[in-house]
């Protein structure tokens, strides 16, 4: 277990833990860990090791189903600091027994133990072990499991802290930006110039909506608008950088293939438009306000890095290309379009697009030709 303490990857740790137990003569065939985490959608993550199958990770989503499952589980007892819970699976099923016991019997297990794993903050996580050996675990093995709990707790807590840090960064900063922060790119002014597709979308009429709608209904509208936008961008490999009031800024770094990246951004835009059209249909049926928005796509060089004060930083993109994207998006209402493209985007994507004219844009030196995608160009 001393060596296992240094293994911070959850799967690697669980594999090493199982290997050490079996090397010590313990006929364990199944091990799980359970750790509730701070996540907007996931209640807990669980490592699963099975003899002959290796390790895998399971994520349990928050919601009524998860709550119901947890109520009839020995893992709940461990999370509450109780136990250990030991179940003799060779006995006949009993009314009201834990739901998992039937599954374990079906898979040929004979003995099942769940331990609470204490963390430094006073909370408890879970460790379960099961065997198929006739007679189950012996007294020495049961004592060994209890003796390993401090080392298991140390490792699971490190895993949980790392996962929480990554989850918070991914949620509030973005997956790619969060990864850079974890790698140590946190010095103010540090960054690099990258070429990227810039995505900027903005909700129309938000000022009036904010004055007319109750708070909860306004928040729901924003979530119904941002949700499809975020899902579409993330689904095509983009990085959501920030929400600016009722606007959203995202990038798709082009790498060595700008045309492919532009195609991904266009697919994301198409998915977002389709999803919001469905949402607006539902809202119309329910006599709720429509979601009206504009979206612009541009390709350019941006500075990608840290800006801010000594104590408060923002990992984002800045540069003339970002400003140009915002100015193009501001033309959506005037041109009666939901999606507008810059000349640079059309050139880089090599798609067919309809020119809507050349326009003078505020804060942009040269006049800009603005395009809309055609059906054949998408």
């Amino acid at each position: 277990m001393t060596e296992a303490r240094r293994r911070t990857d959850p799967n690697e740790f669980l594999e090493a833990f199982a290997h050490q137990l079996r090397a010590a003569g313990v006929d364990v065939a199944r091990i799980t860990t359970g750790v509730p985490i701070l996540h907007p959608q996931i209640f807990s993550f669980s490592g699963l090791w099975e003899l002959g199958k290796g390790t895998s990770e399971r994520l349990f989503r928050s919601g009524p189903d998860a709550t119901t499952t947890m109520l009839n589980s020995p893992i709940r007892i461990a999370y509450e600091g109780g136990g250990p819970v030991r179940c003799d699976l060779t006995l006949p099923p009993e009314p009201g027994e834990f739901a998992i016991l039937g599954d374990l019997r079906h898979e040929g297990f004979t003995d099942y133990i769940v331990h609470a794993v204490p963390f430094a903050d006073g909370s408890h996580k879970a460790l379960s072990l099961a065997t198929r050996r006739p007679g189950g675990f012996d007294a020495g093995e049961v004592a060994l499991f209890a003796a390993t709990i401090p080392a298991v707790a140390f490792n699971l807590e490190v895993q949980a802290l790392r996962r929480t840090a990554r989850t918070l960064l991914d949620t509030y900063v973005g997956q790619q930006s969060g990864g850079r922060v974890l790698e140590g790119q946190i010095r103010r002014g540090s960054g690099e110039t990258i070429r990227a597709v810039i995505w900027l979308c903005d909700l129309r009429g938000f000022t009036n909506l904010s004055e007319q709608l109750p708070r909860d209904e306004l928040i729901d509208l924003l979530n119904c608008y941002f949700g499809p936008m975020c899902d579409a961008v993330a689904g095509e490999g983009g990085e959501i950088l920030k929400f600016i009031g009722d606007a959203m800024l995202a990038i798709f770094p082009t790498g060595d293939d700008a045309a492919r990246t532009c195609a991904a951004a266009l697919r994301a835009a198409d998915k977002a438009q389709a999803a919001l059209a469905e949402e607006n249909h539902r809202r119309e049926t329910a006599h709720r306000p429509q979601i009206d928005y504009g979206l612009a796509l541009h390709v350019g060089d941006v500075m990608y890095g840290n800006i801010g004060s000594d104590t408060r930083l923002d990992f984002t993109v800045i540069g003339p290309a970002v400003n140009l994207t915002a100015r193009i998006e501001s033309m959506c209402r005037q041109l009666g379009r939901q999606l507008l493209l810059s000349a640079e985007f059309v050139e880089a994507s090599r798609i067919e697009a309809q020119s809507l004219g050349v326009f003078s844009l505020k804060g942009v030196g040269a006049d800009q030709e603005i395009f809309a995608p055609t059906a054949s160009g998408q």
Side-chain angles (χ1 to χ4, degrees), residues 301-375:
D301 293 333
V302 294
M303 197 290 279
Y304 183 42
N306 283 299
I307 59 171
S309 71
D310 289 339
T311 57
R312 179 64 172 87
L313 295 172
D314 189 14
F315 209 105
T316 187
V317 292
I318 58 173
V322 179
N323 179 58
L324 176 55
T325 310
R327 298 308 179 191
I328 292 173
E329 187 281 322
S330 70
M331 295 293 292
C332 286
R333 173 175 288 177
Q334 177 180 327
L335 297 175
R337 303 281 181 153
Q338 283 183 333
L339 173 60
L340 295 177
L341 312 174
S342 71
E344 290 83 356
F345 183 92
V346 173
E347 180 181 1
S349 62
R350 300 195 291 271
I351 63 168
E352 294 182 20
Q354 175 189 0
S355 175
L356 302 178
V358 177
F359 301 89
S360 176
L361 303 177
K362 183 179 178 180
V364 179
D367 290 350
Q368 299 292 318
E369 187 172 12
I370 298 177
F371 294 80
T374 62

Side-chain angles (χ1 to χ4, degrees), residues 126-180:
L127 171 71
S128 79
L129 306 102
T131 183
R132 292 188 177 93
R133 186 175 63 197
F137 296 117
D138 62 35
E141 291 168 340
V142 172
L144 175 63
F145 299 154
T148 64
I149 293 302
V152 171
F154 175 89
N155 193 281
L156 289 187
E157 189 150 14
V158 171
Q159 293 178 27
L161 289 172
R162 289 174 61 88
R163 188 178 290 265
T164 296
R166 186 61 200 249
T167 296
L168 290 174
L169 286 169
D170 287 354
T171 301
Y172 288 96
V173 180
Q175 189 172 38
Q176 296 176 36
S177 300
R180 287 173 178 246

Side-chain angles (χ1 to χ4, degrees), residues 237-322:
E239 173 82 349
I240 300 146
L241 294 178
K242 62 172 61 183
F243 302 107
I244 313 163
D246 59 333
M248 185 182 92
L249 176 64
I251 58 171
F252 295 75
T254 59
D256 297 328
D257 196 337
R260 178 178 294 181
T261 306
C262 289
L266 276 175
R267 285 195 302 271
D270 188 51
K271 290 177 181 178
Q273 288 179 295
L276 285 167
E278 291 183 10
E279 174 61 26
N280 275 332
H281 177 71
R282 288 191 292 270
R283 300 181 74 84
E284 183 179 18
T285 303
H287 305 289
R288 302 176 69 187
Q290 295 285 287
I291 297 173
D292 186 18
Y293 62 92
L295 168 62
L297 297 176
H298 174 51
V299 176
D301 293 333
V302 294
M303 197 290 279
Y304 183 42
N306 283 299
I307 59 171
S309 71
D310 289 339
T311 57
R312 179 64 172 87
L313 295 172
D314 189 14
F315 209 105
T316 187
V317 292
I318 58 173
V322 179

Side-chain angles (χ1 to χ4, degrees), residues 149-229:
I149 293 302
V152 171
F154 175 89
N155 193 281
L156 289 187
E157 189 150 14
V158 171
Q159 293 178 27
L161 289 172
R162 289 174 61 88
R163 188 178 290 265
T164 296
R166 186 61 200 249
T167 296
L168 290 174
L169 286 169
D170 287 354
T171 301
Y172 288 96
V173 180
Q175 189 172 38
Q176 296 176 36
S177 300
R180 287 173 178 246
V181 171
L182 277 180
E183 290 170 1
Q185 297 183 33
I186 57 174
R187 184 169 56 85
R188 185 172 63 161
S190 65
E192 61 179 318
T193 298
I194 65 170
R195 193 158 185 81
V197 173
I198 306 159
W199 165 303
L200 196 144
C201 57
D202 186 35
L203 188 63
R204 296 279 174 243
F206 182 70
T207 300
N208 289 335
L209 289 170
S210 64
E211 293 175 351
Q212 297 169 5
L213 296 179
R215 181 200 63 185
D216 291 348
E217 190 173 344
L218 181 66
I219 292 174
D220 178 69
L221 183 143
L222 282 171
N223 288 336
C224 289
Y225 155 64
F226 282 131
M229 291 289 187

